[in-house]
């Protein structure tokens, strides 16, 4: 297969030219570009960790809102209405006379509706008209609950926008945090928690400010609330607040009195929505805080998480539950050594929960479940036997050959771990020949060779390590022959001009050892 | 990716054993919450929370997937000197097959660039090349494209690669060939049949090892026709070699083996100059 083309064109030449639009159709082109831009903005807003508050928070006291979503409003009309409302708010605040309070609340309500019922809330317009300082004033101590609620709601939705929008809430943070306190009415505290959650979802810098201003403790307290929506909103806000990457918030949270009990309680009793948000808190606790992890693994949380994993069919719930368990298994050997003893019910249940995820149609579940399995497969001999003889193995073998790349990699880790005995100090790890032979017979080798051929260094490394197992471990010298048959030598020799020295050495070492001069000589 | 510190040590220990190969050691893997590993799950969380997951069109889903790993999908070809940017990992295999499998029509060895292929062809199959070498011209090009240096012997080029370009000392442009069982048997039969003193004589001046290598050919999968061609090629090259050998006086003293993998192996051609100099190890190098 000769390469006829000229040697090594620069990387840019690999790009195809963008589709050129007709010069005669610039207007249509511009509209299309605009549509793409809007689409992109919409997509970005979809994956933000911030949430717009559209529904009423107060039960029953709010009349069903006039009309539905304001969808067909032209942007300009919406913006000018918003600016106007903010100006009215300004005068209302300045006005000292009779009915001032009522007037303020009415205007706030109008503003709140503009910010919550439009498809694209006119945040920019509100900010430019100077909404934030006015809203901060509306949050002053002694204001009516209604006023506090409306003001906090407006701030919530302003904070749900782009980074610049969220940052504009800085002056309001102390007041918002203050109203999280136990003296506040629950709906007010809840709405403030929502606003704080949006701010925390923006980024590390804002999270640090919130933490410095003492947002953590009151949110934790709210999480223990009896009111479902309150504990749910606070849990969500907490998960945003502690997500790091600095572990200090997570460490602080686990030290809050009664927090672990509250987590256990919610996992036991709560509905799916609340349990989901609590599970996310566990995700971040287990990923960031060693203290939290060591407490969690010894508590009832593990059993409850496994229960949810097995019972739930909701993707929304399964993701954080699975990941929490994954984090716990990965971080603390206590899980494999003490909790997940082979033969115990909890272990069997976890396994069946993981297998359920492997069989799911959702990519995330397949991948993260494979990851959890790979870590369990790094455990004791019994663990390996357990997984090996379960339904998981054929599913993973299938993944290895046909799943998307990231899932294939996790499957590879698991299958390889099944073939290698637990490491003893200073000894070359032993091969579990029975498992290895069986996996090879089931057609694993091509999948590993594909990993070797991929451009991802970690996968290539993994593949080469597996190849070494095959060539060392298969009885009767079958290994090298098999590798040769599957074009393994070609795959290894690709590394001769690889830029990574370790890869070159690994591959060359294998080729030299197993396909040297003596290869094939009887 | 983070490893448990305990197993990290074990992994490094592993590389000290035996050949220095980092053996597979099972260990738990842990990821930070903001690791790319979790990106897909995080996105899914936000979509589900906004109740839009079901409303998304195929295209939007696809765009979102792209967005969440934006930049991380980009892969740079790791073949030294290429650095081509590929937008998706999946594209790599195609890229590799298109750009890095230049194969020699004489001996079927495969090289990652056409330049290296042409260097190989000159050095291994071109009698004029050998003639010039014999006359003292610096013919052995540095394998690093931008370098431009030419050396007078295989070995001195090798040294240059190690000294100037930090190639590993074990690197060989011209590698030992490996026999397949079929080929060995064929060779053994051939040897028995065509036991010609003269032919043997020419090769007598090399050590036994090299002789064994000469007749050892590695061939994984090969169509039958190619085998026939190889035989003819073998004989042609034998003739060439003998012709060239009459010209050469100086030698080069290269090390023994090569690189370059072959989909279908041909005869392991070892240039006369290489074979000669193996014997004359004590002789001073012509120039390097």
């Amino acid at each position: 297969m000769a390469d006829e083309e000229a040697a090594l064109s620069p990387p840019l030449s690999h790009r195809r030219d963008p589709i050129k639009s007709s010069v005669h159709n610039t207007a249509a082109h511009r509209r299309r570009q605009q549509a793409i831009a809007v689409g992109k903005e919409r997509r970005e807003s979809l994956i933000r960790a911030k949430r717009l508050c559209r529904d009423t928070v107060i039960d029953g006291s709010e009349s069903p809102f006039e009309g539905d979503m304001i969808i067909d409003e032209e942007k300009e009309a919406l913006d000018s209405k918003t600016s106007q409302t903010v100006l009215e708010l300004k005068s209302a605040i300045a006005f000292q006379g009779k009915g001032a309070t009522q007037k303020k609340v009415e205007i706030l309500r109008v503003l709140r509706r503009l910010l919550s019922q439009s498809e694209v809330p006119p945040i920019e317009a509100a900010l430019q008209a100077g909404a934030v300082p006015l809203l901060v004033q509306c949050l002053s101590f002694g204001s009516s609950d209604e006023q506090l609620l409306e003001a906090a709601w407006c701030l919530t939705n302003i904070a749900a926008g782009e980074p610049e929008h969220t940052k504009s809430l800085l002056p309001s943070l102390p007041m918002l945090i203050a109203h999280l306190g136990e003296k506040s009415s629950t709906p007010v505290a809840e709405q403030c928690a929502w606003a704080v959650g949006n701010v925390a979802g923006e980024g590390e810098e804002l999270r640090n400010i919130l933490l410095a201003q003492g947002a953590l403790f009151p949110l934790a307290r709210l999480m223990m609330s009896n009111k479902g929506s309150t504990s749910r909103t606070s849990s969500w806000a907490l998960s945003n607040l502690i997500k790091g990457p600095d572990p200090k918030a997570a460490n602080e949270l686990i030290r809050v009195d009664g927090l672990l009990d509250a987590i256990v309680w919610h996992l036991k009793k709560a509905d799916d929505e609340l349990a989901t948000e609590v599970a996310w808190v566990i995700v971040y606790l287990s990923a960031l805080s060693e203290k939290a992890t060591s407490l969690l693994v010894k508590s009832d949380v593990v059993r409850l998480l496994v229960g949810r994993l097995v019972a739930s069919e909701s993707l929304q719930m399964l993701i954080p539950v699975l990941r929490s368990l994954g984090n716990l298994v990965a971080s603390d050997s206590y899980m494999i050594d003490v909790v997940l003893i082979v033969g115990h019910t909890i272990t069997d249940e976890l396994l069946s929960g993981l297998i359920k995820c492997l069989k799911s149609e959702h990519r995330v579940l397949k991948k993260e479940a494979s990851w959890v399995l790979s870590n369990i497969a790094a455990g004791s001999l019994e663990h390996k036997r357990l997984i090996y003889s379960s339904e998981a193995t054929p599913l993973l073998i299938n993944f290895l050959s046909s799943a998307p790349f990231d899932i294939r990699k996790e499957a590879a880790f698991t299958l390889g771990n099944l073939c290698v005995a637990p490491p003893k100090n200073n000894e070359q790890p032993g091969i579990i020949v029975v498992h290895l032979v069986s996996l090879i017979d089931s057609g694993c080798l091509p999948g590993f060779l594909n990993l070797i051929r991929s451009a991802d260094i970690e996968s290539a490394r993994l593949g080469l390590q597996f190849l070494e197992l095959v060539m060392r471990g298969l009885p009767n010298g079958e290994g090298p022959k098999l590798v040769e048959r599957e074009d393994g030598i070609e795959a290894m020799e690709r590394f001769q001009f690889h830029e990574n020295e370790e890869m070159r050495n690994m591959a060359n070492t294998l080729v030299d050892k197993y396909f040297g001069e003596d290869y094939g000589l009887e | 990716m983070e490893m448990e510190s305990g197993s990290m040590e074990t992994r490094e220990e592993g590389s000290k054993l035996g050949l220095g190969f980092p053996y597979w050691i099972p260990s738990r893997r842990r990821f930070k919450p903001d690791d790319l590993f979790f990106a897909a799950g995080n996105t899914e969380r936000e979509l589900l929370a906004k109740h839009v997951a079901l409303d998304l069109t195929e295209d939007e889903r696809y765009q979102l997937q792209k967005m969440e790993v934006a930049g991380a999908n980009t892969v740079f070809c790791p073949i030294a000197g290429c650095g081509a940017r590929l937008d998706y990992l999946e594209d790599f295999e195609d890229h590799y097959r298109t750009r890095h499998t230049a194969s020699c029509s004489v001996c079927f060895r495969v090289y990652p660039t056409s330049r290296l292929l042409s260097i190989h062809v000159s050095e291994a199959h071109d009698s004029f090349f050998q003639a010039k070498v014999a006359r003292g011209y610096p013919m052995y090009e540095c394998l690093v494209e931008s370098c431009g240096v030419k050396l007078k012997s295989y070995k001195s080029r090798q040294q240059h690669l190690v000294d100037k370009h930090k190639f590993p000392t074990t690197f060989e442009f011209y590698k030992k060939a490996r026999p397949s069982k079929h080929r060995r048997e064929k060779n053994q039969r051939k040897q028995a049949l065509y036991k010609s003193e003269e032919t043997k004589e020419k090769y007598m001046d090399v050590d036994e090892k090299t002789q064994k290598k000469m007749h050892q050919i590695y061939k994984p999968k090969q169509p039958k026709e190619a085998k026939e061609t190889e035989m003819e090629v073998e004989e042609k090259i034998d003739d060439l070699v003998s012709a060239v050998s009459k010209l050469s006086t100086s030698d080069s003293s290269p090390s023994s083996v090569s690189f370059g993998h072959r989909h279908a192996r041909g005869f392991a051609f070892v240039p006369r100059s290489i074979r000669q100099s193996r014997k004359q190890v004590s002789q001073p190098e012509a120039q390097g």
Side-chain angles (χ1 to χ4, degrees):
Chain A
M1 194 171 34
D3 178 355
E4 305 292 348
E5 298 177 59
L8 292 189
S9 18
L12 285 177
S13 69
H14 291 276
R15 244 200 349 227
R16 270 177 291 144
D17 284 332
I19 298 167
K20 293 184 172 61
S21 56
S22 153
V23 270
H24 305 296
N25 214 0
T26 38
H29 174 70
R30 197 178 48 238
R31 261 182 275 123
R32 195 171 42 228
Q33 290 296 88
Q34 217 169 29
I36 293 171
V38 167
K40 187 160 181 259
E41 213 178 276
R42 169 174 139 85
R43 284 192 294 273
E44 267 163 358
S45 73
L46 286 180
I47 64 177
R48 267 179 222 148
K50 307 172 197 169
R51 297 179 188 177
L52 209 53
C53 178
R54 291 198 189 278
D55 296 316
T56 180
V57 181
I58 318 166
D59 309 304
S61 58
E62 163 89 350
S63 52
F65 34 77
E66 285 99 30
D68 307 81
M69 298 288 289
I70 314 167
I71 21 173
D72 290 325
E73 280 294 352
E74 283 294 344
K75 186 175 183 301
E76 288 84 24
L78 196 57
D79 285 352
S80 71
K81 233 193 256 185
T82 306
S83 310
Q84 200 189 335
T85 312
V86 174
L87 285 173
E88 282 174 32
L89 182 63
K90 189 168 183 185
S91 342
I93 290 173
F95 182 57
Q96 300 289 354
K98 192 166 179 235
T101 315
Q102 193 51 33
K103 188 77 186 142
K104 260 189 288 184
V105 174
E106 276 166 19
I107 300 175
L108 279 171
R109 192 170 294 145
V110 172
L111 183 60
R112 179 260 291 173
R113 286 205 188 104
L114 288 167
L115 287 169
S116 61
Q117 284 167 242
S118 342
E119 184 161 344
V120 182
I123 298 174
E124 195 62 51
L127 284 175
Q128 283 186 7
V132 173
L134 300 172
L135 291 168
V136 175
Q137 285 186 282
C138 294
L139 285 177
S140 59
F141 295 119
S143 310
S144 72
D145 277 358
E146 236 185 325
Q147 181 175 314
L148 292 173
L149 191 71
E150 298 288 353
W153 193 333
C154 291
L155 286 166
T156 299
N157 286 357
I158 292 175
E162 298 183 14
E164 290 313 310
H165 301 162
T166 315
K167 285 176 191 154
S168 71
L169 249 76
L170 263 173
S172 69
L173 296 183
M175 290 311 288
L176 285 171
I177 294 174
H179 288 298
L180 293 174
E182 60 213 7
K183 296 286 193 287
S184 299
S185 79
T186 311
V188 169
E190 184 177 324
Q191 194 58 61
C192 292
W194 197 318
V196 167
N198 277 344
V199 173
E202 167 46 43
E204 197 181 358
E205 217 182 294
L206 282 171
R207 286 198 270 277
N208 288 337
I209 295 176
L210 285 169
L211 289 165
Q213 293 183 357
L216 187 95
F217 182 77
L219 278 179
R221 194 193 56 85
L222 283 169
M223 186 182 147
M224 304 182 218
S225 163
N226 286 325
K227 186 160 181 262
S229 62
T230 306
S231 44
R232 190 185 71 234
T233 305
S234 323
S235 300
W236 164 72
L238 268 175
S239 73
N240 269 355
L241 190 59
I242 67 171
K243 62 170 47 156
D246 192 320
K248 68 172 188 259
N251 282 326
E252 224 180 283
L253 182 60
I254 198 64
R255 277 187 261 124
V256 171
D257 226 3
L259 184 93
L260 193 53
D261 292 332
I263 289 179
V264 170
W265 177 261
H266 287 316
L267 277 183
K268 247 188 235 174
K269 306 278 186 186
D271 63 18
D272 276 11
E273 277 189 314
L274 174 53
T276 299
E277 299 302 344
V278 171
W280 278 107
V281 174
I282 304 176
V283 164
Y284 291 110
L285 285 174
S286 57
L288 291 166
S289 167
E290 274 179 36
K291 176 106 180 91
T293 302
S294 64
L295 285 173
L296 287 165
V297 298
K298 296 185 177 84
S299 74
D300 232 4
V301 168
V302 179
R303 183 183 62 83
L304 293 165
L305 284 171
V306 173
R308 292 269 181 180
L309 183 71
V310 169
S312 173
E313 291 305 326
S314 139
L315 178 63
Q316 205 164 2
M317 163 94 87
L318 287 170
I319 294 177
V321 166
L322 175 62
R323 196 181 289 182
S324 297
L325 287 164
N327 284 342
L328 292 172
V329 170
S331 318
D332 199 326
S333 54
Y334 189 88
M335 283 292 280
I336 296 201
D337 294 341
V338 182
V339 180
L340 299 170
I341 304 280
V342 175
H344 287 190
T345 317
I346 192 172
T347 313
D348 294 327
E349 284 193 2
L350 175 60
L351 187 57
S352 78
L354 292 171
I355 290 172
K356 183 179 88 171
C357 293
L358 292 183
K359 287 183 183 164
S360 132
E361 54 173 358
H362 297 289
R363 187 171 162 155
V364 174
L365 294 181
K366 289 198 265 213
K367 170 171 142 181
E368 298 195 20
S370 302
W371 165 61
V372 181
L373 280 167
S374 76
N375 283 341
I376 300 177
S380 74
L381 214 48
E382 287 74 31
H383 284 107
K384 294 173 206 272
R385 287 194 188 119
L386 180 70
I387 297 176
Y388 168 77
S389 52
S390 77
E391 251 186 292
T393 303
L395 290 165
L396 291 166
I397 294 176
N398 197 21
F399 283 175
L400 187 62
S401 53
S402 59
F405 177 76
D406 50 355
I407 298 175
R408 271 192 279 137
K409 201 165 156 183
E410 297 309 313
F413 270 110
T414 312
L415 293 170
N417 282 348
L418 290 179
C419 297
V420 184
K424 294 195 181 88
N425 289 332
N426 290 329
E427 273 173 31
Q428 190 182 81
I431 297 176
I432 305 174
V433 179
V434 171
H435 291 180
L436 182 63
V437 169
S438 164
L439 289 181
I440 297 293
D441 284 345
S442 310
C444 265
L445 192 55
F448 279 97
L449 288 173
N450 275 336
L451 288 177
I452 292 179
R453 293 191 189 102
S454 94
D456 176 48
I457 298 281
E458 199 189 10
S459 308
R461 194 169 192 280
L462 202 66
L464 287 172
Q465 286 174 316
F466 188 78
L467 228 54
E468 192 276 333
L469 295 176
V470 170
M471 296 195 288
R472 172 168 41 116
L474 246 48
N476 305 322
E478 281 302 315
K481 289 188 202 146
L482 182 61
V483 168
E484 176 182 1
R485 260 204 310 275
E486 299 285 349
D487 275 337
I489 302 185
E490 182 268 335
M492 287 189 280
E493 288 188 323
R494 287 192 183 194
F495 289 93
Q496 286 171 356
F497 255 74
H498 199 281
E499 63 195 4
N500 182 306
E501 181 166 356
E502 195 202 4
M503 292 292 108
R504 288 200 303 265
N505 289 340
M506 278 177 81
N508 286 339
T509 305
L510 289 180
V511 170
D512 286 344
K513 175 162 192 198
Y514 291 103
F515 299 100
E517 317 156 22
D518 304 322
Y519 176 58
L521 296 176
E522 258 75 277
Chain B
M1 181 190 91
E2 289 184 354
M3 306 267 263
E4 290 294 307
S5 56
S7 53
M8 258 292 223
E9 283 151 18
T10 330
R11 190 162 64 99
E12 269 145 25
E13 285 292 335
S15 66
K16 291 181 196 139
L17 298 171
L19 312 156
F21 187 88
Y23 299 107
W24 186 306
I25 298 183
S27 59
R28 298 198 306 275
R29 287 170 304 132
R30 191 180 167 181
F31 300 109
K32 290 203 178 114
D34 54 355
D35 195 296
L36 219 55
F37 183 81
F38 293 133
N42 291 341
T43 303
E44 203 63 49
R45 174 193 186 186
E46 301 307 334
L47 296 178
L48 289 164
K50 295 172 176 86
H51 307 292
V52 292
L54 297 171
D55 296 340
L56 295 174
T57 63
E58 274 286 318
D59 187 58
E60 282 190 302
R61 266 256 169 225
Y62 176 69
Q63 297 288 340
L64 279 166
Q65 267 180 15
K66 266 171 60 178
M67 269 181 74
E68 81 202 9
V69 287
N73 262 345
T74 309
V75 150
F76 290 93
C77 176
I79 301 301
C82 179
R85 193 188 114 162
L86 307 162
D87 284 329
Y88 299 99
L89 202 60
E90 290 75 19
D91 295 342
F92 178 65
E93 187 62 20
D94 279 343
H95 164 80
Y96 187 87
R97 288 196 192 279
T98 322
R99 298 268 174 197
H100 298 301
T101 51
S103 86
C104 176
S105 47
V106 176
C107 68
F108 307 110
R109 279 192 169 87
V110 181
Y111 295 87
T113 67
S114 357
R115 178 173 173 269
L116 290 171
L117 171 63
S118 90
I119 290 177
H120 154 78
V121 168
S122 308
E123 294 180 8
H125 305 304
D126 184 2
S127 50
F128 295 110
F129 180 93
Q130 292 305 327
K132 294 204 97 170
V133 167
R135 293 208 164 104
Y137 288 94
M139 298 297 292
Y140 289 91
E141 285 181 64
C142 174
L143 302 182
V144 177
E145 187 161 359
S146 48
C147 181
V149 164
K150 292 192 187 193
L151 289 309
K152 288 197 183 176
S153 74
Y154 181 90
K155 189 169 181 196
S156 52
R157 195 253 314 270
Q158 180 73 3
Q159 199 58 48
H160 166 86
L161 291 174
V162 170
D163 295 340
K164 286 268 155 34
H165 301 292
K166 310 262 189 288
F167 272 51
T169 48
T170 49
F171 174 85
E172 297 288 357
F173 186 58
Y174 202 78
K175 199 163 187 175
K176 293 195 237 320
R178 280 165 296 279
S180 74
K181 189 169 180 186
H182 180 271
R183 195 70 206 168
R184 267 176 291 113
E185 284 167 358
K186 206 168 177 181
N187 282 331
Q188 280 155 21
R189 271 180 269 126
K190 181 192 169 197
Q191 269 185 305
L193 281 175
Y194 304 109
K195 203 165 191 169
S196 145
E197 288 297 327
E198 224 135 302
T199 325
K200 279 218 150 180
E201 207 66 56
K202 277 200 191 73
Y203 303 143
M204 229 27 145
D205 55 344
V206 305
D207 59 34
E208 268 177 274
K209 242 188 178 178
T210 320
Q211 181 171 21
K212 213 175 2 173
K213 282 178 209 155
M214 291 264 298
H215 293 287
Q216 286 167 356
I217 298 149
Y218 167 68
K219 231 180 339 179
K221 290 176 184 169
Q222 212 181 4
K224 288 213 162 75
E225 302 81 57
K227 279 182 194 146
E228 299 311 314
T229 322
E230 276 176 64
M231 277 293 276
E232 291 159 10
V233 163
E234 263 181 64
E235 273 140 18
K236 271 205 193 105
I237 289 179
D238 283 1
D239 293 339
L240 261 179
V241 162
S242 52
V244 168
S245 74
K246 287 170 189 140
L247 301 169
S248 88
T249 46
S250 64
D251 67 271
S252 47
S253 39
S255 33
S256 50
V257 290
S258 83
F259 99 109
H261 59 273
R262 297 188 264 191
H263 290 309
R265 294 298 164 89
F267 178 62
F269 178 73
V270 183
R272 164 83 184 178
S273 52
I274 294 172
R275 285 182 283 117
Q276 243 193 347
S277 60
R278 275 204 204 102
K279 179 194 99 181
Q280 298 155 343
V281 154
S282 53
Q283 266 194 5
E285 279 187 39
Q287 201 14 260

